[in-house]
Amino acid sequence: DAKTTQPTSMDCAEGRAANLPCNHSTISGNEYVYWYRQIHSQGPQYIIHGLKNNETNEMASLIITEDRKSSTLILPHATLRDTAVYYCIVRVPWGGFKTIFGAGTRLFVKA
Amino acid sequence: IAGITQAPTSQILAAGRRMTLRCTQDMRHNAMYWYRQDLGLGLRLIHYSNTAGTTGKGEVPDGYSVSRANTDDFPLTLASAVPSQTSVYFCASSDQYNTGELFFGEGSRLTVL
């Protein structure tokens, strides 16, 4: 079973921030939170990851709660091209071989 | 930069036939994975390998086998295909000694009739 739970779908207006939540209440101390997205039927694409500190890169920001039981991926200015399925997973980078994905959140960005 | 290369891109196969999906990576990553994705569903792990010479079972391993003879190649074999194995198959690799992110191929669409 996936170790994360995400809403099935979300809508966002173009130009607004998209905030995608993820629950990972059973996360272990050495597990990182990773986010990926899949556009149409392409292979999933890495977005960002973090352990306990908030992270930001050119694509998104990742906010992890202090207890690490949940996180939020933020797309600051969503565009139509951000319409995709977003996956949140937890894994140990150096040994997380049985990497399990859930069903993800389908984000619809609307004009 | 090639990354992960999967072949074939798509294939139609008669039930009962044997099929091997090929996956090659040029990033010298230790770990490799095979996932299947069915319409409207997320990714389900079939098999994985954390280094050449070792493999492990994922969530849905039945009906599939893998081998990891070297670092670069991780073929997935369906010994006797069944219609329920109709799916899109994704291969991935990860650098266990760096960020641990997974790099995915573009998928192989398999239809078993």
Side-chain angles (χ1 to χ4, degrees), chain A residues 15-28:
Chain A
R16 304 298 293 270
N19 297 284
L20 292 87
C22 180
N23 182 288
H24 32 80
S25 58
T26 61
I27 190 169
S28 300

Side-chain angles (χ1 to χ4, degrees), chain A residues 59-104:
Chain A
M59 292 181 67
S61 295
L62 173 60
I63 308 298
I64 303 173
T65 58
E66 190 169 347
D67 63 8
R68 303 208 324 121
K69 293 185 177 182
S70 65
S71 61
T72 301
L73 178 74
I74 301 172
L75 307 178
H77 305 288
T79 70
L80 299 179
R81 289 177 295 179
D82 290 323
T83 293
V85 178
Y86 289 78
Y87 297 97
C88 165
I89 66 171
V90 295
R91 67 189 299 263
V92 177
W94 55 89
F97 309 121
K98 199 167 183 175
T99 299
I100 305 297
F101 283 72

Side-chain angles (χ1 to χ4, degrees), chain A residues 38 85 87 102-104 106, chain B residues 36-44:
Chain A
Q38 186 176 26
V85 178
Y87 297 97
R106 186 171 295 275
Chain B
R36 63 175 288 174
Q37 186 171 40
D38 301 304
L39 189 63
L41 299 179
L43 298 160
R44 291 187 291 170

Side-chain angles (χ1 to χ4, degrees), chain B residues 1 3 8 19 24-25 39 46-47 52 54 58-59 61 64 66 68 70 72 74-75 89 91 98 101 109 111:
Chain B
I1 298 175
M19 178 70 194
T24 299
Q25 54 113 351
L39 189 63
I46 305 172
H47 285 287
T54 67
E59 302 170 271
Y64 304 95
V66 291
R68 187 88 184 276
N70 57 61
D72 299 341
F74 191 43
Y89 292 86
C91 179
N98 196 354
E101 68 181 90
R109 182 176 299 274
T111 302

Side-chain angles (χ1 to χ4, degrees), chain A residues 1-2 32 34 36 38 40-46 49 87 89 91-104 106, chain B residues 31 33 35 37 40-43 45 48-50 57-59 88 90 94-106 109:
Chain A
D1 293 335
Y32 285 62
Y34 288 79
Y36 292 80
Q38 186 176 26
H40 297 301
S41 56
Q42 299 176 14
Q45 175 190 27
Y46 165 82
H49 76 284
Y87 297 97
I89 66 171
R91 67 189 299 263
V92 177
W94 55 89
F97 309 121
K98 199 167 183 175
T99 299
I100 305 297
F101 283 72
R106 186 171 295 275
Chain B
Y33 314 79
Y35 292 88
Q37 186 171 40
L41 299 179
L43 298 160
L45 181 65
Y48 62 93
S49 168
N50 56 22
K57 294 182 179 180
E59 302 170 271
V88 180
F90 288 100
S94 67
D95 180 0
Q96 304 296 96
Y97 301 108
N98 196 354
T99 65
E101 68 181 90
L102 272 70
F103 294 81
F104 284 85
E106 288 306 307
R109 182 176 299 274

Side-chain angles (χ1 to χ4, degrees), chain B residues 59-91:
Chain B
E59 302 170 271
V60 289
D62 294 343
Y64 304 95
S65 64
V66 291
S67 61
R68 187 88 184 276
N70 57 61
T71 297
D72 299 341
D73 301 300
F74 191 43
L76 176 73
T77 298
L78 290 68
S80 179
V82 296
S84 62
Q85 292 177 310
T86 293
S87 189
V88 180
Y89 292 86
F90 288 100
C91 179

